[in-house]
Amino acid sequence: MLKALHNLIFRRFIYVYDAGYFGLIYSIKAMIALSISGAICYFLLGADVLIWSVMMAMYVFFLNGFKSNKDMDWKYLVLFVAFVCTLIPTFGIFDESLWLILLSSILAFSIGVSEVYDSDLPKVLNLALVNALVATIYVSSHLDVPLWHSVLAAFIGGSVSIFVRLFVSFGEYGRFIQVQFVLILMHLANMSKSIGSKDYSLFQSIFINHLPLLKSKLTSQSAKIKDTHSIKNHKRALFYLYKLESVCYTLDILHDYFKQHDSALLHNLRDEITQNLRELSSIFFGKKPNISKASFLKASQDIQDTQFLNALKIFYSKIESFTRLSSLQSQAFVENTKTKTLQSMYQELKTNPLPFFYGITYASAMSIAMFIAQFFHINHGAWIALGVMTMMNQNIDTIKTLGKDSILGSFMGLVLGVLLVVFGFGHTWLYVIFVINLFLVIYFKSYPFMLWSLVLMLELVLMFALVDDNFIELILYRFGDILFGFLIAFLTAKIIYPRYSADELIPKLKSTLQSLSTLTLDLEQNKQHILQGQNQLIRNFDELSLLIRKNKDNNKRYPASILQQFDTLQKHFLQLKNLSIMLCEKIQSISPQDTLLLKNDLKALRVRYDMLCALLDSKPYYFSTDEDERFLLKDTQIYPSILHIFESQNHIYVFLHIALKK
């Protein structure tokens, strides 16, 4: 019983959302920043504006996981603080004015469109608008507090938290490498332990999502490290990171075999693979890993499946390569993104107008919420706009999910908070619960949205109870605002630019085909960033698979008969993904005299991917399902993989041409 409970809490919950307790350490660091900034603000400005210092410190730590490959962390954080310090007096001055509707809608539109420049910028603008709306609520409740006090408190909270976040560390740079790589190896070990089970895709997505964040940190810090030994270790860390990334793709191929077969030998092999991955952690503590191969050698003798054995050999070869020095360690592996101009962003919007229409929808929803609040003089009506911001998304299905999770989580937090206050009102331990729950508001930000909504509403109930005896009426109004905000967001998105999950199927099909084409081109030209292409391919495939599963019973765009065929299509894409990744490994052993023949065959596959994309775009295309002796490299082990890819392409073409009538 206790073991089952432990597995439920840790393996299926904490290990999924905070493996290695890295989020826990991050939240403790946030609480330190929050305490320091709160203390400074209290002694300098008093308790009236303490909320601004605390809130800003918390929001700075909410702005994590920037995906930008550039060293943009500190710039975005400073930009956020500057925005908030500008918006507080602006929204404070226009409190209860209809001009506030225009300002709010302009900012909301900017949030929607800013995705064209950078996927991180909307996060910054969104939190800045949250603070601006809070300013209108605060000013109407604290008429005697000068606005510059609020601005200064926000500046103190933002500045202190930025300093703590960027410059205060619990360890040296080497400790960062140790923690992060042991964490990512834990993700890989969880993947291997779950090979063949339904939990595999969950742990795989955790690993894949962690990779770009760690990669961006390593590439952005490389320019700032001056010590020669640090640079050497830094590049070695990058080398190991990319090797681990390729191990993940090999595990993906092994997973397909484990799903269809079950034996004591495979159980032993899975345990051996998992143990070897855990052994790799020794490298980051200056020790040599002890790699075991007993089950691998046994499997090589007893298993006849050639593709599985090849994948197994590749896996053990990669594991053993960690114990050897490689000239690849000297490569920089830096990923730089091009700076976008206004012209390039305009062209991108013409190609994909979705961000523009999302900006229009967001601005409309915000205008309606603020108009209702201002025109009808609703007390603290900006909470309605905050409710809209909580629910707003490009996808109506996602709005439904967010609304359900937010309402249910908030209701549970409301009930729990009222019970705690009723039975503990006036007791000191209520303040202790308030502080502990404040920590949970930070810590659970990366956990399921329903759980975070619960602790957030609980914190609001406790806060209102500590400052106002009539807290139940206040909190019921806030809960009503959340419901109203959800209604506005849902109806606005449904009327202005309705977009469902099923609408993303064709674009995601195209992006997956494009990633296959790009990876094939990289192989054709022998480029050095093949792993990046593999990463993009598996990410697009995962998103496509998730979309197909989500829309299995959703017939808003396609009839049930077509949706059933999407399951078969997913299997063909899975085969294409596995074959393409396996092809990346096989061509490494190609002889120089076969290089030109290989390039011919790869180009033939790539052109077919491009023709499928043209078919999806309703552009002129030519696609033949006959081989017509187009492949020249037939006397090698590569030909079967190329032929299987060719056949899968034919199946996808038939689906697009007949089922979707493209």
Side-chain angles (χ1 to χ4, degrees):
M1 178 68 179
L2 291 176
K3 185 177 180 180
L5 183 61
H6 176 272
N7 288 336
L8 176 64
I9 294 175
F10 284 89
R11 181 168 174 78
R12 297 300 303 274
F13 196 66
I14 293 179
Y15 285 174
V16 170
Y17 297 101
D18 189 23
Y21 310 108
F22 192 69
L24 180 66
I25 297 172
Y26 184 80
S27 301
I28 292 173
K29 189 175 177 180
M31 287 297 290
I32 292 173
L34 189 148
S35 302
I36 295 173
S37 58
I40 294 174
C41 180
Y42 179 79
F43 286 112
L44 292 180
L45 301 171
D48 287 338
V49 291
L50 185 62
I51 182 66
W52 282 109
S53 180
V54 171
M55 191 168 61
M56 282 295 290
M58 187 165 57
Y59 284 157
V60 164
F61 279 86
F62 279 172
L63 284 171
N64 57 8
F66 288 132
K67 297 179 181 179
S68 175
N69 289 324
K70 298 171 288 185
D71 187 19
M72 291 291 290
D73 278 31
W74 72 269
K75 294 180 182 178
Y76 275 136
L77 294 177
V78 171
L79 180 66
F80 168 67
V81 175
F83 268 154
V84 173
C85 291
T86 303
L87 292 175
I88 287 175
T90 305
F91 274 65
I93 291 171
F94 287 105
D95 179 43
E96 298 185 359
S97 168
L98 292 179
W99 283 104
L100 213 55
I101 301 172
L102 180 62
L103 290 173
S104 302
S105 60
I106 290 174
L107 278 172
F109 177 77
S110 302
I111 292 170
V113 177
S114 60
E115 182 186 342
V116 179
Y117 176 76
D118 192 326
S119 61
D120 294 323
L121 189 55
K123 302 177 187 177
V124 177
L125 297 178
N126 212 53
L127 275 184
L129 181 54
V130 167
N131 282 271
L133 294 173
V134 171
T136 64
I137 300 171
Y138 180 85
V139 168
S140 61
S141 303
H142 299 78
L143 298 174
D144 57 331
V145 178
L147 274 175
W148 71 268
H149 280 199
S150 300
V151 174
L152 184 56
F155 178 77
I156 291 172
S159 301
V160 171
S161 54
I162 289 175
F163 178 83
V164 173
R165 175 173 165 174
L166 298 182
F167 299 106
V168 175
S169 174
F170 296 142
E172 297 299 326
Y173 180 71
R175 179 62 179 165
F176 168 79
I177 293 294
Q178 287 177 344
V179 170
Q180 288 293 322
F181 275 84
V182 169
L183 173 60
I184 211 164
L185 278 169
M186 185 185 298
H187 292 324
L188 267 181
N190 286 334
M191 279 179 59
S192 65
K193 189 68 176 177
S194 305
I195 281 181
S197 73
K198 61 181 181 180
D199 291 335
Y200 177 81
S201 58
L202 175 64
F203 290 111
Q204 181 199 50
S205 63
I206 297 292
F207 176 85
I208 292 296
N209 289 330
H210 191 100
L211 271 178
L213 299 179
L214 180 55
K215 196 183 301 180
S216 64
K217 296 294 181 185
L218 289 173
T219 52
S220 65
Q221 292 194 34
S222 61
K224 298 190 295 184
I225 299 174
K226 304 299 181 182
D227 181 70
T228 305
H229 184 66
S230 296
I231 294 175
K232 179 181 177 181
N233 290 337
H234 180 232
K235 291 183 178 180
R236 181 176 300 157
L238 281 165
F239 165 73
Y240 286 143
L241 180 62
Y242 279 81
K243 295 291 284 185
L244 288 175
E245 188 177 359
S246 64
V247 168
C248 167
Y249 304 136
T250 309
L251 283 178
D252 206 37
I253 300 173
L254 298 178
H255 170 63
D256 295 328
Y257 184 85
F258 273 81
K259 282 196 302 184
Q260 302 171 11
H261 302 83
D262 188 28
S263 66
L265 174 59
L266 288 179
H267 289 178
N268 294 335
L269 182 61
R270 180 171 55 201
D271 292 340
E272 183 177 89
I273 290 172
T274 303
Q275 181 58 34
N276 285 337
L277 288 171
R278 289 171 178 163
E279 277 290 322
L280 292 182
S281 300
S282 305
I283 293 175
F284 305 101
F285 296 93
K287 301 177 182 178
K288 186 175 181 179
N290 182 21
I291 305 299
S292 175
K293 299 178 65 177
S295 296
F296 164 62
L297 296 175
K298 179 68 175 172
S300 300
Q301 296 174 355
D302 297 351
I303 297 177
Q304 303 300 320
D305 191 298
T306 305
Q307 184 176 2
F308 174 74
L309 289 178
N310 286 337
L312 203 57
K313 291 175 183 177
I314 291 170
F315 172 82
Y316 275 86
S317 174
K318 290 180 181 297
I319 292 296
E320 290 181 329
S321 70
F322 278 85
T323 63
R324 302 189 299 267
L325 291 177
S326 170
S327 60
L328 288 175
Q329 293 179 13
S330 62
Q331 296 180 11
F333 296 110
V334 176
E335 302 174 30
N336 294 316
T337 55
K338 295 181 180 179
T339 303
K340 292 186 178 180
T341 63
L342 288 175
Q343 181 65 24
S344 65
M345 288 188 286
Y346 175 70
Q347 292 299 326
E348 190 171 335
L349 277 177
K350 287 176 64 177
T351 305
N352 177 27
L354 179 59
F356 174 79
F357 287 112
Y358 176 55
I360 294 293
T361 305
Y362 202 158
S364 301
M366 186 62 62
S367 299
I368 293 171
M370 292 302 295
F371 176 80
I372 292 173
Q374 298 297 97
F375 187 80
F376 294 102
H377 301 287
I378 298 176
N379 187 28
H380 294 170
W383 280 98
I384 301 174
L386 288 171
V388 169
M389 295 185 66
T390 305
M391 310 298 175
M392 206 63 205
N393 194 273
Q394 295 181 359
N395 191 305
I396 291 179
D397 295 325
T398 304
I399 293 177
K400 290 180 182 178
T401 304
L402 289 175
K404 180 189 68 175
D405 291 347
S406 178
I407 292 170
L408 186 57
S410 298
F411 178 74
M412 290 188 293
L414 174 63
V415 173
L416 180 60
V418 171
L419 289 175
L420 285 173
V421 173
V422 168
F423 290 104
F425 191 78
H427 291 280
T428 306
W429 58 266
L430 202 62
Y431 292 89
V432 177
I433 294 177
F434 177 82
V435 175
I436 293 174
N437 194 69
L438 179 60
F439 168 79
L440 293 179
V441 171
I442 301 172
Y443 180 57
F444 284 155
K445 190 68 171 68
S446 59
Y447 280 68
F449 188 66
M450 185 184 297
L451 178 60
W452 186 74
S453 299
L454 187 154
V455 295
L456 180 63
M457 179 57 75
L458 175 59
E459 190 69 9
L460 289 174
V461 173
L462 295 175
M463 182 178 68
F464 285 138
L466 294 174
V467 300
D468 196 319
D469 293 337
N470 194 26
F471 74 96
I472 293 182
E473 181 181 350
L474 290 174
I475 205 65
L476 285 176
Y477 277 128
R478 301 296 75 83
F479 186 70
D481 293 336
I482 292 175
L483 292 173
F484 198 19
F486 164 69
L487 187 64
I488 292 174
F490 178 76
L491 291 178
T492 306
K494 196 172 182 64
I495 293 171
I496 294 181
Y497 191 68
R499 186 171 178 82
Y500 297 88
S501 296
D503 293 322
E504 300 176 17
L505 282 170
I506 296 302
K508 188 50 64 180
L509 281 175
K510 180 183 174 183
S511 63
T512 307
L513 288 169
Q514 287 174 331
S515 61
L516 284 163
S517 175
T518 301
L519 178 59
T520 308
L521 178 62
D522 291 342
L523 292 174
E524 183 184 339
Q525 299 179 349
N526 195 25
K527 291 187 177 180
Q528 298 300 315
H529 46 74
I530 290 174
L531 282 172
Q532 298 172 27
Q534 290 180 349
N535 187 21
Q536 188 60 47
L537 169 61
I538 198 170
R539 188 179 296 276
N540 282 331
F541 172 77
D542 287 344
E543 292 173 356
L544 175 62
S545 300
L546 179 61
L547 272 176
I548 291 175
R549 288 197 299 271
K550 284 172 61 178
N551 292 277
K552 196 170 185 179
D553 301 317
N554 186 355
N555 56 1
K556 291 185 180 296
R557 289 290 182 265
Y558 302 103
S561 58
I562 298 296
L563 291 174
Q564 290 176 359
Q565 295 182 51
F566 269 104
D567 287 334
T568 305
L569 182 70
Q570 180 186 2
K571 295 176 182 176
H572 291 308
F573 270 102
L574 173 63
Q575 188 173 14
L576 278 177
K577 182 196 71 169
N578 291 340
L579 289 169
S580 298
I581 293 173
M582 182 64 75
L583 191 62
C584 296
E585 303 294 340
K586 287 183 176 180
I587 65 172
Q588 295 179 13
S589 59
I590 194 74
S591 59
Q593 59 266 28
D594 291 332
T595 302
L596 289 177
L597 299 179
L598 174 65
K599 287 186 176 182
N600 171 82
D601 294 356
L602 291 173
K603 182 178 180 180
L605 294 177
R606 175 174 56 82
V607 169
R608 287 165 62 82
Y609 285 130
D610 293 340
M611 290 297 102
L612 290 172
C613 290
L615 173 62
L616 287 172
D617 289 335
S618 300
K619 294 180 179 179
Y621 72 94
Y622 174 78
F623 195 96
S624 173
T625 55
D626 298 324
E627 182 184 350
D628 296 331
E629 300 296 325
R630 72 181 72 197
F631 300 118
L632 306 178
L633 199 59
K634 294 186 177 181
D635 298 330
T636 68
Q637 60 175 346
I638 295 178
Y639 177 67
S641 296
I642 289 179
L643 188 59
H644 286 316
I645 292 174
F646 175 82
E647 292 170 350
S648 294
Q649 289 175 328
N650 285 345
H651 288 301
I652 293 173
Y653 169 73
V654 171
F655 172 82
L656 297 178
H657 187 62
I658 298 178
L660 296 185
K661 299 186 179 353
K662 284 288 186 179

